[in-house]
Structure formats: C-alpha cells, structure tokens
Amino acid sequence: MGIPDQRQLHIPDLEALMDAAWPAPDRHSLGPWVLRAAGGVTQRANSVWPRTAPDDAGPAPDELLAQARAWYRSRRLPLIFQVTAGTAMGALNNVLDRESFTTQSETLIMTRGPGNTTPDRPGPGVEILTEPSAEWLGVWWEVDGRGGVEEMATARAILEGCPALYAMVRDGRGRPAAVGRLALPETGHGPWGGVYSMATSADARRQGYGTAVLDTLLAAGEGRGVAGYWLLVTAANSGAQALYHNAGFREYGRYVYRQERPRRALTGC
C-alpha cells in the first residue's frame, strides 16, 4: 500500500482528511453521519459521510435515513451517500440496497508515502499560488465545472475552505494549460497533503503539463513538511491513474456514491 508504516492512517482518519480538504459549507452532524450540502456543486460536497456505522445504542438506520432524507429534501437535493468499500459499511449498504439506492462513480483512493523520490524543484514554468486565481479557476472549471457564475462561486468557497497551494503551468504561448491543488488540512492526523483539481485544457493534453503540475505540488508539499499524500481518481480514468502510479501513488481503498432513486409523483384524480 502507499501509506508508510511509521505514519499509518486508517480509513476513518483518511476520510477525515478528505472531508476537511473539500469542506461543504452547509453541514450537519446526525449521529454517526455528517450531512453535507453545497447547492449541488460536486457530489463530494453534497453527500452523506457515514463516519461510523450506526450502533445499537443510537437511532436505528431507518430513523437516521428518514432524517437525512428530510434534510436534503429541504435543500432540494437528492440523498447521496459516499460509502467506502469494506465490511464496516456492510449494514449501511444492506439498508441502501433495500431502499433501491443506485451505485455510481466508483473512485480510487490512492496514497504515496515518503519513500518515493520527489523532484528537488518545481516543474519548468509552473507557478505556485496561495489562492485560486481567475486563470486557475478558468482551466479547472473548463474541465470539471458544472454550472454558471453562482456555481463557480460556491466551488471557490469550497476550495478556499481549507489551506492549500495551487499550481498552474502555461503553454508556449503563455496561455494557462494545466492546474492542480494541494490541500493541507489541519486535522491532527499528521503531515498529509491531498492532491485535488488536476485539470489540463483540451488542447494542451499529452504534452507533459499534468506531470509538471503534479511534480511541483509534491515538491512544494515536501518543502512544507508533508510526508504522505493522497488523491482521488475515478475508476474509469485509466490515463490519470497511470500518471499517478508513475509518481509513486498506489491504490489504498475505494468508495462509491449511493444515490436515492427519484420517486414518481402520483398522477390522476
């Protein structure tokens, strides 16, 4: 696995880092679950994080589910769970299966420990920013954005909700070509950094820009005492997985999103 023995993290600790690195502006603790909402901007920030499985001393899963459903319905959002693979979530998955929740967007959690070689200096021509500039946001939103000005403002609030560094590289004509973000959450789980928002403009791909951005983020993190890194990549994105594997990242776990099916309204008299 990618996590070094001397700084071993368990999945709940890593999930806490992931939550802090992409913080939903609207959140509510519901027993063992954290309900998160951000006006529908990204699945991650609009899903339930089940920190632990419900226990016998607390509310029954059906009761929690009803409360979560009402919370999201009041925000005009679907009820979605981010569920990490493993036996700990078996009971929750059984409940969601019974309620006919769909399974979608399988995602790999990849990690990288300190035993890997990191470039001594940033990649050629890569700029490091302490906040997302308009150019940085433009590249990322072009690739991953969904929505207009209001949604982009929400996305920016999510990005800036955690200390982070932002990398951007330009092409030969000076145009922004690729970007990436290194989240540096302060959760008490050690010096870990999360690589997020890696994006390359459509006409700048397969030219090494993504590699330059990633190398720069890793070097910048090491310069700030970061010893281990994680990132998230969809299971279907084999190209990105190859880039991260070459940089020393290895699969550590997986999660999926479980979404409630829309309920049809009654019709007729």
Side-chain angles (χ1 to χ4, degrees):
M1 293 299 181
I3 294 182
D5 291 340
Q6 67 269 32
R7 297 181 185 273
Q8 184 71 31
L9 285 178
H10 298 293
I11 281 290
D13 298 331
L14 191 49
E15 287 183 329
L17 286 165
M18 290 159 50
D19 177 66
W22 200 262
D26 184 9
R27 53 198 297 123
H28 172 66
S29 291
L30 180 62
W33 299 349
V34 178
L35 313 185
R36 306 176 293 189
V41 177
T42 77
Q43 279 184 305
R44 208 173 314 151
N46 292 273
S47 61
V48 178
W49 168 32
R51 288 175 296 189
T52 59
D55 57 45
D56 295 337
D62 287 344
E63 182 181 340
L64 291 170
L65 193 63
Q67 293 182 51
R69 182 180 286 122
W71 194 85
Y72 280 97
R73 201 170 277 170
S74 71
R75 288 156 176 77
R76 300 179 181 272
L77 292 171
L79 176 56
I80 304 173
F81 285 78
Q82 182 181 325
V83 184
T84 303
T87 56
M89 291 296 124
L92 174 59
N93 277 316
N94 289 339
V95 171
L96 300 182
D97 288 342
R98 188 187 70 216
E99 295 288 326
S100 300
F101 276 61
T102 63
T103 300
Q104 56 190 257
S105 304
E106 184 179 19
T107 301
L108 276 63
I109 304 169
M110 301 183 75
T111 59
R112 179 186 190 272
N116 296 275
T117 301
T118 298
D120 294 330
R121 60 174 183 261
V126 182
E127 304 165 27
I128 284 286
L129 314 168
T130 55
E131 60 183 29
S133 66
E135 288 181 313
W136 189 100
L137 280 168
V139 175
W140 176 60
W141 199 251
E142 171 196 330
V143 176
D144 286 334
R146 302 288 186 275
V149 174
E150 186 175 341
E151 287 77 14
M152 182 186 282
T154 299
R156 179 167 192 150
I158 293 171
L159 292 167
E160 295 181 334
C162 166
L165 298 174
Y166 300 83
M168 182 176 70
V169 64
R170 300 178 185 275
D171 64 16
R173 289 185 281 180
R175 302 175 302 180
V179 298
R181 169 181 180 258
L182 179 65
L184 300 167
E186 299 167 353
T187 64
H189 291 295
W192 281 79
V195 177
Y196 285 82
S197 307
M198 292 285 294
T200 302
S201 295
D203 59 355
R205 290 173 185 163
R206 295 180 178 83
Q207 299 179 49
Y209 293 124
T211 298
V213 165
L214 180 59
D215 286 349
T216 296
L217 290 175
L218 297 177
E222 225 168 78
R224 286 162 174 77
V226 173
Y229 301 86
W230 82 90
L231 58 80
L232 312 171
V233 58
T234 59
N237 194 344
S238 57
Q241 290 173 41
L243 168 66
Y244 303 139
H245 193 276
N246 288 339
F249 284 87
R250 299 293 181 264
E251 182 179 342
Y252 182 67
R254 296 189 179 210
Y255 65 81
V256 295
Y257 290 101
R258 306 291 312 270
Q259 181 168 343
E260 186 172 34
R261 293 180 184 274
R263 303 194 178 203
R264 294 183 180 180
L266 295 176
T267 60
C269 300

